[in-house]
């Protein structure tokens, strides 16, 4: 049975709701309230920021137009991996070696942060170890091998190893994948249950969470105010943690991101033998296509497969059929396996695929545009905003100093430009 207030998905059908969360009952903010911090958006960024701020002694109000973890935080592939979408060498060109190394170190920190929060707050979220990034074509193998060598020899990161083509094909039971890189300290998890666990911890720390509370606008200045459809919050600081659901709330940052939709299916539970045949080590897997395929096994032996994107306001009418064809390209033996769930979610990407952190006013912070690395980096982003407010902004500023270009044409023209670009790369995936 799908959790009330959430779109149907495998995640919402298997959600863990604590008594404290059940007590929220989706109640909106009505009337006026005050807090040190008002956070807009109850995904990983907002939940992490709220929890870390509350533990530092701040009073926090957290608002969401829907429900806790309703957006991409509760719908994604659940992969929690070190690294960034921008190569370390490109980062050096953009921000210098010292900052690039710091950004790398924080990507490692982000994964450890997720693990520590799960352990500290005893969050049940089907946590599993290991992510395998595989070459979708033989021509991609050498790039992956060189990437592993660079990380080990230049950056000094040893918890990664190259896996040759025969071993990848043995691990995954398909000859469609080739060599790969194994991230040994990466993890994968049930993302909605992780978000709900963070929310439960935040409530216990004193955070006031209001669901079904849409923010209409806010005022700036020494004493900013956040206005909602039925109330308002007076605060000292505002944190914008809306990501792909920012809409028109803050035009100054809207052009830095592009909302896109991604889709996942969940099969019926597979036998242990079927699971071993397609994912011997129970790793999460992502391939090297620009429009990637990614998959993993759930806690109850379902294959969760993500594939395909679109760039409109609407999802495909039949998501299971839209995604299933990608799965069958690699595992035709699953032709007769039933698809129990199919769902989509909206994430935000940036032009350079690095997250966009910014301080757009003295007391207004933003973190968004995680570009597919949201479980780890959004959790870290919330923590870094909390640190910046409490007086230690060095790490937040390191991210903020990475140039984040605006999409050409801003919000008006970013969509047709992106579609043209994605069409080009999807053709490259197919033919080159």
């Amino acid at each position: 049975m799908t959790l009330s207030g959430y779109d149907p998905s495998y995640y919402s059908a298997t959600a863990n709701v604590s008594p404290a969360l059940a007590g929220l009952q989706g109640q909106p903010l009505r009337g006026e309230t005050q807090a040190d911090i008002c956070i807009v958006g109850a995904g990983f960024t907002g939940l992490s920021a709220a929890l870390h701020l509350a533990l530092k002694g701040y009073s926090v109000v957290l608002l969401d137009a829907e429900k806790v973890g309703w957006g991409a935080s509760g719908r994604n592939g659940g992969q929690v991996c070190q690294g960034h979408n921008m190569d370390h060498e490109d980062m050096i060109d953009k921000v210098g070696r010292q900052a690039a190394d710091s950004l790398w170190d924080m990507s490692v920190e982000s994964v450890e942060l997720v693990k520590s929060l799960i352990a500290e707050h005893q969050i049940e979220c089907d946590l599993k170890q290991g992510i395998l990034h595989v070459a979708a074509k033989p021509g991609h193998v050498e790039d992956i091998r060189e990437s592993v060598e660079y990380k080990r020899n230049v950056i000094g990161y040893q918890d990664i190893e190259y896996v040759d083509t025969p071993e990848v094909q043995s691990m995954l039971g398909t000859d469609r994948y080739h060599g790969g890189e194994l991230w040994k300290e990466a993890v994968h998890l049930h993302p909605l249950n992780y978000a709900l666990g963070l929310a439960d911890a935040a409530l216990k720390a004193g955070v006031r969470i209001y669901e079904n509370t849409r923010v209409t606008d806010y005022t700036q200045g020494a004493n900013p105010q956040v206005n909602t459809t039925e109330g308002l919050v007076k605060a000292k600081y505002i944190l914008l943690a809306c990501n792909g659901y920012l809409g028109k709330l803050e035009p100054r940052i809207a052009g830095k991101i592009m909302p896109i939709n991604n889709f996942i299916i969940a099969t019926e539970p597979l036998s242990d033998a079927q699971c071993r045949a397609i994912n011997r080590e129970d790793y999460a897997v992502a391939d090297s296509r620009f429009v990637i395929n990614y998959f993993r096994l759930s806690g109850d032996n379902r294959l969760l497969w993500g594939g395909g994107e679109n760039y409109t306001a609407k999802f495909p009418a039949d998501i299971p059929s839209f995604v299933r064809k990608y799965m069958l390209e690699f595992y035709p033996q699953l032709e007769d396996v039933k698809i129990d769930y199919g769902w989509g979610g909206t994430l935000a990407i940036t032009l350079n695929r690095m997250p966009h952190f910014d301080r757009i006013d003295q007391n207004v912070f933003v973190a968004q545009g995680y570009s597919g690395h949201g479980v780890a980096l959004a959790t870290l982003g919330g923590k870094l905003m909390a640190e910046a407010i409490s007086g230690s902004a060095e790490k937040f500023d390191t991210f903020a100093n990475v140039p984040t270009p605006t999409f050409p044409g801003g919000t008006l023209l970013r969509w047709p430009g992106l579609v043209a670009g994605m069409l080009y790369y999807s053709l490259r995936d197919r033919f080159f």
Side-chain angles (χ1 to χ4, degrees):
M1 184 176 185
T2 298
L3 185 64
S4 176
Y6 293 79
D7 287 3
S9 73
Y10 167 72
Y11 296 140
S12 60
T14 54
N16 300 326
V17 182
S18 70
L21 281 172
L24 288 179
Q25 297 180 336
Q27 290 299 311
L29 172 66
R30 293 189 173 97
E32 179 180 325
T33 191
Q34 294 186 343
D36 294 324
I37 321 291
C38 180
I39 303 173
V40 184
F44 295 137
T45 304
L47 290 166
S48 175
L51 174 59
H52 285 99
L53 285 162
L55 293 175
K56 292 176 180 290
Y58 292 92
S59 62
V60 182
V61 166
L62 177 58
L63 310 175
D64 198 276
E66 302 290 346
K67 304 272 287 182
V68 166
W70 179 90
S73 295
R75 307 178 188 224
N76 64 81
Q79 300 197 14
V80 189
C81 196
Q82 299 82 359
H84 299 283
N85 287 331
M86 183 184 291
D87 289 340
H88 188 261
E89 290 170 294
D90 292 335
M91 282 188 202
I92 293 173
D93 290 339
K94 298 286 186 185
V95 297
R97 179 63 190 260
Q98 183 175 352
D101 286 351
S102 179
L103 288 164
W104 169 263
D105 290 342
M106 283 190 281
S107 81
V108 176
E109 177 188 348
S110 71
V111 177
E112 295 308 308
L113 175 62
V114 171
K115 294 181 192 177
S116 68
L117 289 170
I118 290 169
E120 179 180 356
H121 300 288
Q122 299 180 18
I123 300 173
E124 295 294 331
C125 57
D126 298 334
L127 185 68
K128 299 181 182 183
Q129 196 85 7
I131 292 179
L132 183 63
H133 176 225
V134 293
K137 299 181 179 182
H140 298 174
V141 171
E142 190 57 31
D143 286 343
I144 288 179
R145 189 201 307 269
E146 290 176 357
S147 174
V148 171
E149 292 175 354
Y150 183 91
K151 292 178 180 72
R152 293 178 66 89
N153 299 328
V154 178
I155 303 177
Y157 183 71
Q158 303 304 315
D159 291 320
I160 189 170
E161 64 182 40
Y162 173 72
V163 184
D164 65 22
T165 294
E167 181 64 6
V168 165
Q169 294 179 350
S170 176
M171 284 180 174
L172 301 182
T174 176
D175 61 4
R176 296 293 303 277
Y177 285 135
H178 307 280
E181 55 185 359
L182 175 61
W183 299 80
K184 294 185 286 187
E185 289 301 315
V187 294
H188 49 110
L189 48 72
H190 186 305
L192 180 56
N193 279 337
Y194 172 56
L196 294 173
L198 291 178
D200 184 59
L203 287 169
K204 291 174 180 175
V207 176
R208 287 170 283 159
I209 300 177
Y210 296 96
E211 298 179 319
N212 297 322
T213 300
R214 186 169 298 278
V215 173
T216 57
D217 59 85
Y218 68 94
T219 60
Q220 304 164 35
N223 298 294
Q225 177 176 303
V226 177
N227 301 308
T228 75
T229 50
E230 298 184 67
L232 63 89
V233 183
K234 293 184 176 180
K236 299 175 184 176
Y237 292 91
I238 298 172
L239 307 185
L240 300 178
C242 309
N243 205 41
Y245 299 89
L246 177 70
K248 298 179 180 180
L249 179 59
E250 179 43 83
R252 290 177 293 176
I253 60 173
K256 301 288 186 181
I257 57 173
M258 173 70 191
I260 67 170
N261 303 319
N262 196 256
F263 307 100
I264 305 177
I265 55 175
T267 69
E268 64 184 332
L270 306 178
S271 69
D272 288 344
Q274 285 175 307
C275 291
R276 286 194 299 272
I278 63 175
N279 195 340
R280 189 186 72 203
E281 305 298 333
D282 202 7
Y283 294 140
V285 181
D287 69 23
S288 61
R289 291 186 176 189
F290 188 83
V291 181
I292 70 169
N293 293 295
Y294 54 93
F295 62 94
R296 64 189 183 88
L297 295 169
S298 69
D300 58 354
N301 275 10
R302 300 173 188 270
L303 179 61
L304 306 181
W305 185 283
E309 296 175 348
N310 74 10
Y311 317 104
T312 72
K314 296 180 179 180
F315 290 173
D318 185 352
I319 291 175
S321 295
F322 180 76
V323 179
R324 182 174 175 269
K325 62 179 180 286
Y326 296 103
M327 178 185 77
L328 294 180
E329 282 184 34
F330 296 87
Y331 295 107
Q333 65 266 40
L334 300 180
E335 173 75 35
D336 295 329
V337 170
K338 181 184 174 186
I339 305 301
D340 280 349
Y341 302 93
W343 68 96
T346 301
L347 63 148
I349 63 172
T350 60
L351 267 175
N352 63 6
R353 300 303 192 267
M354 286 292 289
H356 172 227
F357 289 17
D358 205 354
R359 186 171 187 156
I360 56 177
D361 283 307
Q362 185 62 26
N363 46 9
V364 180
F365 291 80
V366 60
Q368 61 177 9
Y370 299 104
S371 304
H373 277 250
V375 185
L377 292 180
T379 302
L380 179 69
K383 180 175 185 274
L384 297 189
M385 286 200 287
E387 291 177 355
I389 286 172
S390 63
S392 179
E394 180 180 356
K395 290 182 176 180
F396 182 89
D397 288 343
T398 298
F399 270 103
N401 288 335
V402 178
T404 304
T406 300
F407 277 85
T411 58
L412 181 64
L413 297 178
R414 64 184 175 184
W415 182 81
L418 181 77
V419 169
M422 296 300 279
L423 176 60
Y424 166 75
Y425 282 109
S426 64
L427 290 173
R428 283 190 59 181
D429 283 341
R430 289 288 176 184
F431 300 115
F432 299 99

